[in-house]
Each structure stands twice: as structure tokens, then as C-alpha cells.
Amino acid sequence: MGFKKLPFEWRDTALKIHPSYFMVWLAHYWRSDKENMVEIANAQLVEECNLGLSLVKEAKRWLKENGWLVVDKGSYKNKKGEWQVPRFIATYPGLETNLPVENQPTDGGLE
């Protein structure tokens, strides 16, 4: 059984955001791999977080704009050019322990 820790020194930042936004971030983080990379569809977030679709989209937009989720720019299309669920990296905004974000897109990503 694996587990993911949250940095104690990050608690003040985490406790200041909207609870629904934190729930959406936490769903990404807990489902992510050891590099904090995750693919999760909005429909899955709606069900797992018990939130409406518009609130999930609002939360993801805010999380991306404020550095909590970084979109892997190479994750949008498969080899056939079909759109896919984007991969996200769940980060700890404001901490130096974050992974590099060299894959951050320039177009702001998908919702």
C-alpha cells in the first residue's frame, strides 16, 4: 500500500484556497505517480469529489493559473492527432521541492 505525504511547511498555503479547489487538486495528487503526473477526466473528478462539472472546470482553471497543476504540453494528442485527456503534474506552489515544469504549455492548456 502506497501513500503520498503533504509537506508540513506548505499547510498555510494549502489551507487558504477554496475547499473545492483543494479537493480537486488532492484528487489529482493522490492519483498521480511518483513524478506527480496524472491523467484524470472531468467526469471522474465530478464523481470522486461529488462536485458539479462547472465547479470542477472552475477549480482546474484556477489550479492551472496559480501553479497548483501544470499541464504536460505533450499530452494533448495521440499519434493519430486525436485529443486526449491531458496529463497534469500536481505541484506544491511556493515550495522549492517542486518538480521542474519545463513541459508547461504556452497556450494555457485544456479544460
Side-chain angles (χ1 to χ4, degrees):
M1 173 191 265
F3 64 92
K4 290 204 159 222
K5 295 181 181 181
L6 296 175
F8 186 71
E9 66 273 14
W10 187 61
R11 71 189 178 283
D12 290 337
T13 300
L15 292 173
K16 289 179 183 172
I17 74 165
H18 191 284
S20 296
Y21 295 6
F22 187 73
M23 190 183 318
V24 170
W25 177 86
L26 201 55
H28 283 83
Y29 179 71
W30 277 342
R31 290 207 167 270
S32 66
D33 60 19
K34 65 182 180 177
E35 285 84 29
N36 294 334
M37 185 80 70
V38 63
E39 290 181 23
I40 187 168
N42 287 347
Q44 186 176 355
L45 290 166
V46 165
E47 185 166 326
E48 288 185 5
C49 297
N50 196 29
L51 300 171
L53 180 59
S54 61
L55 184 52
V56 165
K57 288 181 176 183
E58 177 184 320
K60 285 175 62 177
R61 183 174 26 258
W62 187 92
L63 292 165
K64 289 185 287 184
E65 288 172 359
N66 289 278
W68 289 66
L69 293 176
V70 176
V71 181
D72 175 24
K73 69 179 176 182
S75 69
Y76 289 118
K77 293 187 179 184
N78 64 18
K79 292 179 182 179
K80 295 180 182 179
E82 300 167 326
W83 290 104
Q84 303 295 304
V85 174
R87 287 185 309 243
F88 291 99
I89 301 168
T91 66
Y92 306 120
L95 291 185
E96 294 180 16
T97 58
N98 282 318
L99 297 172
V101 291
E102 63 270 1
N103 289 334
Q104 190 168 4
T106 56
D107 64 357
L110 294 179
E111 291 183 18

